[in-house]
Amino acid sequence: MSATGDIVTAGNALTEPGAAGFLQRYEGLRARFPGQRLPWLAARREAAAEAFRAQGFPTRRVEAWKYTDLAPLTQAGFGEALTSVDGALPLPRAAAPRRVVFVDGRFRADLSDPEAPVRNLADHLGAAEGLLGSLARTEDLPLVALNTAMFEDGALIDLAAGEDGGVVELLHVTLADRPVAVHPRHLVRLGAGAKLVLIERNWGHGEGRYLNSPVLEFEVAAEAHVTHARLQQEGKGGIHLSTVFARVAEGGTYDSFLLHAGAKLARSEAHVTLAGPKAAAHLNGAQLLGDGQHGDCTTFLEHSAPDCPSRQTVKTVLAGKSRGVFQGKILVDQIAQRTDGYQMNQALLLSDQAEIDSKPQLEIYADDVKCSHGATVGELDENQVFYMRSRGIPEATARSLLIEAFLQEAVEGVTDETARAALAEAVAGWWEKVA
C-alpha cells in the first residue's frame, strides 16, 4: 500500500477523501461484492449507493450530528483490505466460550468456533432475504446507506422458536497497519421464546488510522430475549461509527449495554422500536474517554405499543482534553398507553479541559404514561480520594476505584454473568492506564 498526498492506494483500489472517494470505491468494486448475482441484493446495494450519493456524510448542521464532527473521516483517504490476512493473530482473551472472528470485515473460520450458532453472511446471503435491510433505514441515515452498499461479510444468527443460542462472542479485529475502511453487516433474528447473549467486540490491533462502520439488525419475536453487550475497544487512531436497529415484539426484551473504551472518534447509534405490548428495552452504557478522544452515544427509542417499559442509564468518564456526547430520545406514540420510560445521563469530569454535551429528550403523544429523564455532571470527591490515600492506597489506585464505583450501577444492570464480567474487565484499571 502506498500513499501520495491525500490519495491512498490499496492494490487496484483508489480512494479519495470524503464521500466521493467511497462512491468511487463502490463503482470500482460493485461487480466483486458478495451476492451481486442476487437481484434483490444488487438492487438494494444500488439504491443505498444512490441514497449515500444524495446525502453525503452528515455535517454539524444536521441536528443529530451537531456535537460530533466527521471532518477526520472526510479529510482522510481510506483504502480497502484487498488481501486476505492468514495465519495467527494476537487476539484479546476470549470473553465467552464460543467465539466467532472477523478480520478486516471478513470471516475467519480458522479462528472461530464451528459450534457457535453463527453463519458468515457472505456465504449465506440467500438466507438473509427479508431480513437484511428490513429495519435499517438508508434514506435518512447516510452511514447505514454506505454500509449497505459496501459490506462484504458479517454474522448471520437465526434462532428458531424456543432455541437457546447460549453466549457467543462476536469479535471483529481491524488491523491498523494501513488506512482501511471496513463495513461489517450483522443480522440477528430470534424466533418466539428464543434466547441469546451476544458479546459484540470491536478491537483494533495497532495505533494507525482506519474506519470500522458496522451495522446490526435485531428482530426479536414474541417472548424472546437477547442480551447485547457491545465493547468498543478500537485502536488509538481508529474511527468507529456503528448503528444498531432492533424491533421487539410482544413480551420480548432487547437488553443492551454499550462500552466505549477505545478509538479516537467513536459514535454508536441505536434505533429501537417496542412494537408489541409488554415489550422491553434496556439501553445502558458507559464511555471511558482519555485525552484526545471523542465518544458519542446516541439513541432513538420508540414506544409504539402499550404497557412497555424502557430503561436507559449512560455514564461517561472524561480525562484530559476529551469530549463526550449523549443524545437520547424517547418517542411515545399515541397508542402506547401505560408506557414506563426512564432515562439518565451522568458524567464524571476528571479534567478542566474535558467537555460533555448531554441532550435527553422526551416526545410524548399518549396521556397515560410514566416517563422521566435527567442529566448530571460532577467531579471526583477529593475528600474521598484523601481518605483512601490516608489508608495507604496510592492516589492512582484510589481514583481508579472511585471511577469503577461510579460505573458500577450501569454495569450491574447487565444480567448475564459472562457479559457482565467482560465489561467489568474492560473497565477495571482504566484510570491507571490513562493517568
Side-chain angles (χ1 to χ4, degrees):
M1 180 176 297
S2 63
T4 304
D6 287 329
I7 305 295
V8 175
T9 60
N12 62 351
L14 179 65
T15 302
E16 297 175 347
F22 284 93
L23 289 167
Q24 180 192 55
R25 177 180 163 194
Y26 170 75
E27 294 297 334
L29 301 176
R30 179 168 48 183
R32 294 174 43 202
F33 282 130
Q36 283 302 93
R37 294 184 180 181
L38 298 172
W40 67 270
L41 181 56
R44 179 151 288 171
R45 286 192 190 273
E46 189 64 22
E50 286 303 314
F52 181 69
R53 181 176 287 108
Q55 299 171 81
F57 285 112
T59 69
R60 296 182 65 182
R61 291 191 296 272
V62 177
E63 179 64 24
W65 288 86
K66 67 183 296 183
Y67 302 117
T68 296
D69 189 356
L70 290 183
L73 169 63
T74 60
Q75 294 170 1
F78 293 98
E80 62 158 330
L82 286 173
T83 305
S84 297
V85 179
D86 299 317
L89 290 173
L91 302 180
R93 188 171 68 87
R98 292 181 295 176
R99 168 187 271 182
V100 176
V101 179
F102 290 80
V103 178
D104 285 346
R106 297 185 177 94
F107 176 63
R108 283 288 298 266
D110 58 317
L111 301 175
S112 302
D113 183 349
E115 299 300 319
V118 182
R119 292 176 287 175
N120 72 301
L121 187 58
D123 292 337
H124 299 88
L125 281 164
E129 186 175 5
L131 180 58
L132 193 154
S134 65
L135 302 179
R137 305 195 313 272
T138 59
E139 64 275 10
D140 61 341
L141 297 173
L143 293 176
V144 177
L146 179 62
N147 176 284
T148 303
M150 301 291 291
F151 81 89
E152 295 184 62
D153 207 348
L156 174 61
I157 302 175
D158 198 351
L159 301 183
E163 184 177 356
D164 188 344
V167 183
V168 177
E169 179 185 6
L170 176 58
L171 174 65
H172 186 274
V173 179
T174 306
L175 303 179
D177 56 355
R178 67 270 198 244
V180 299
V182 293
H183 311 273
R185 188 62 168 258
H186 306 305
L187 307 177
V188 182
R189 178 163 52 195
L190 279 71
K195 298 178 181 179
L196 175 69
V197 176
L198 181 65
I199 303 175
E200 179 207 349
R201 195 171 180 184
N202 292 278
W203 189 74
H205 176 58
E207 300 184 2
R209 182 186 66 199
Y210 64 89
L211 167 66
N212 180 22
S213 183
V215 170
L216 299 90
E217 297 181 80
F218 287 83
E219 281 278 10
V220 184
E223 305 298 332
H225 187 289
V226 59
T227 295
H228 181 203
R230 306 159 63 193
L231 282 74
Q232 183 274 107
Q233 297 172 297
E234 305 282 10
K236 291 183 178 180
I239 298 174
H240 179 90
L241 303 172
S242 68
T243 311
V244 174
F245 296 88
R247 180 165 54 202
V248 188
E250 181 176 1
T253 301
Y254 175 72
D255 188 357
S256 172
F257 189 96
L258 164 70
L259 177 63
H260 274 170
K264 183 176 182 62
L265 169 62
R267 174 176 165 120
S268 292
E269 192 170 308
H271 300 256
V272 179
T273 301
L274 300 178
K278 298 184 179 180
H282 306 141
L283 304 179
N284 299 320
Q287 301 189 95
L288 302 177
L289 306 176
D291 190 52
Q293 288 183 288
H294 180 107
D296 181 337
C297 175
T298 293
T299 62
F300 301 88
L301 176 58
E302 181 175 2
H303 286 256
S304 60
D307 302 301
C308 294
S310 66
R311 295 290 182 269
Q312 184 172 22
T313 299
V314 176
K315 298 197 172 191
T316 304
V317 182
L318 302 103
K321 192 175 181 180
S322 59
R323 185 175 186 181
V325 178
F326 170 76
Q327 299 182 104
K329 182 174 181 177
I330 297 177
L331 171 63
V332 182
D333 295 339
Q334 186 174 3
I335 195 175
Q337 302 295 334
R338 297 172 300 282
T339 285
D340 181 3
Y342 172 80
Q343 182 185 80
M344 173 60 71
N345 174 227
Q346 296 176 311
L348 185 63
L349 303 182
L350 305 179
S351 164
D352 58 6
Q353 294 182 297
E355 178 181 342
I356 180 72
D357 296 290
S358 184
K359 186 183 175 184
Q361 295 175 276
L362 296 175
E363 187 174 338
I364 301 172
Y365 296 96
D367 52 18
D368 182 8
V369 302
K370 182 173 67 174
C371 291
S372 63
H373 65 179
T376 65
V377 180
E379 301 176 343
L380 277 182
D381 188 333
E382 292 300 328
N383 290 328
Q384 292 180 337
V385 175
F386 176 78
Y387 176 81
M388 296 175 73
R389 291 186 66 189
S390 70
R391 296 300 185 269
I393 299 175
E395 181 177 357
T397 303
R399 292 182 179 276
S400 184
L401 290 172
L402 291 172
I403 291 168
E404 290 176 35
F406 170 75
L407 297 170
Q408 191 64 29
E409 178 189 354
V411 175
E412 283 182 346
V414 180
T415 56
D416 180 78
E417 183 178 341
T418 303
R420 187 169 61 249
L423 292 165
E425 181 181 348
V427 168
W430 170 79
W431 169 252
E432 294 178 84
K433 298 172 186 175
V434 302

